[in-house]
Amino acid sequence: MQVDLSGKVALVTGASRGIGAAVVEALRAAGATVTGVSRAQGVDLLDRDQRARLTARADILVNCAGMQAAHPALDYPIDTWDRELEINLTATFDLCQRVAPGMIERRWGRIINFSSIAGIQGTRGIIGYSVAKAGLIQLTKCLSNEWAPFGVTVNCVAPGYIETEMLKPLTENATAAELTRGRIPVGRFGASEEVASSVVFLCGEQSRYITGVTLPVDGGWMAR
């Protein structure tokens, strides 16, 4: 079942590498005109003025940008907490607010937020990231309730262990990597392209009756 996004304009954050880059490629392959932005491309989503300049028009918004810092909860720097919530949660809400009026006017829109299995399960050492990602799940539900009557769906993707740069500390430790793979029912880490294909599906007409959901793309991790 092929998704046709011809004529649609998409904005993807966190687009320079990993999952974000795969999402850009997949949306373009489906026919969308895509603008991908990231800090590597000169856009700092921590800067609210820069965020305001991004959103002249978008039929599709994919909020993929994020950051993750690791500290024990007792030693977690409050300025790091502030940055993590700003980039992972507040920036997403800000961009959603900015694109939604146009979507509502056109009576068509797709917003895909990126949470994580860390936003569903309890974690250790990454509390700022986990709390922000949990907030995205609730943000997705709230926005979906408000904007569904106008043809705008808002959904969330929650990747598991995907082979990106963020996973390198794990994959470079052979023992830890093997233990983690053994916990995943499909027996391997995921690929960015597998997450991107889920995003494309949620953007298509085939998914127009799906809104407010969080889709784990995790090889069965959450089912264990």
Side-chain angles (χ1 to χ4, degrees):
M1 181 170 56
Q2 189 166 351
V3 175
D4 183 6
L5 298 175
S6 300
K8 303 301 183 185
V9 176
L11 173 65
V12 180
T13 69
S16 65
R17 59 188 181 182
I19 295 171
V23 169
V24 169
E25 184 176 339
L27 288 173
R28 285 177 177 159
T33 299
V34 185
T35 298
V37 298
S38 71
R39 181 174 292 183
Q41 295 160 323
V43 178
D44 184 0
L45 292 178
L46 286 170
D47 186 324
R48 297 184 180 192
D49 290 334
Q50 290 191 39
R51 295 201 303 253
R53 295 195 291 269
L54 287 179
T55 53
R57 159 153 183 191
D59 303 300
I60 296 166
L61 171 64
V62 183
N63 289 298
C64 194
M67 64 171 286
Q68 182 186 103
H71 304 279
L74 282 175
D75 302 320
Y76 212 91
I78 196 65
D79 60 338
T80 300
W81 171 274
D82 289 342
R83 285 197 302 274
E84 289 216 72
L85 265 64
E86 182 72 30
I87 192 69
N88 293 321
L89 182 57
T90 304
T92 292
F93 179 48
D94 187 9
L95 293 178
C96 288
Q97 277 190 315
R98 294 179 185 281
V99 302
M103 293 178 174
I104 289 168
E105 181 180 354
R106 293 186 295 275
R107 291 297 193 271
W108 197 97
R110 298 288 186 268
I111 296 174
I112 314 296
N113 297 324
F114 264 77
S115 182
S116 164
I117 58 171
I120 302 171
Q121 294 182 310
T123 62
R124 291 183 292 183
I126 54 171
I127 189 170
Y129 179 82
S130 299
V131 168
K133 292 299 185 178
L136 285 173
I137 293 172
Q138 187 65 14
L139 174 68
T140 296
K141 292 177 182 179
C142 293
L143 297 183
S144 71
N145 283 323
E146 293 203 27
W147 297 342
F150 307 105
V152 179
T153 65
V154 187
N155 290 296
C156 195
V157 174
Y161 288 88
I162 309 299
E163 290 201 74
T164 64
E165 186 172 326
M166 187 179 288
L167 201 66
K168 277 187 176 180
L170 174 63
T171 57
E172 291 175 350
N173 182 326
T175 300
E178 186 60 30
L179 286 171
T180 304
R181 276 193 296 267
R183 166 71 169 72
I184 302 170
V186 302
R188 62 176 176 83
F189 299 132
S192 296
E193 293 75 17
E194 292 172 306
V195 184
S197 64
S198 300
V199 172
V200 171
F201 167 71
L202 290 171
C203 289
E205 283 302 300
Q206 297 91 334
S207 65
R208 62 185 176 273
Y209 201 60
I210 300 173
T211 193
V213 306
T214 295
L215 174 64
V217 185
D218 63 356
W221 178 277
M222 294 302 303
R224 287 291 297 272

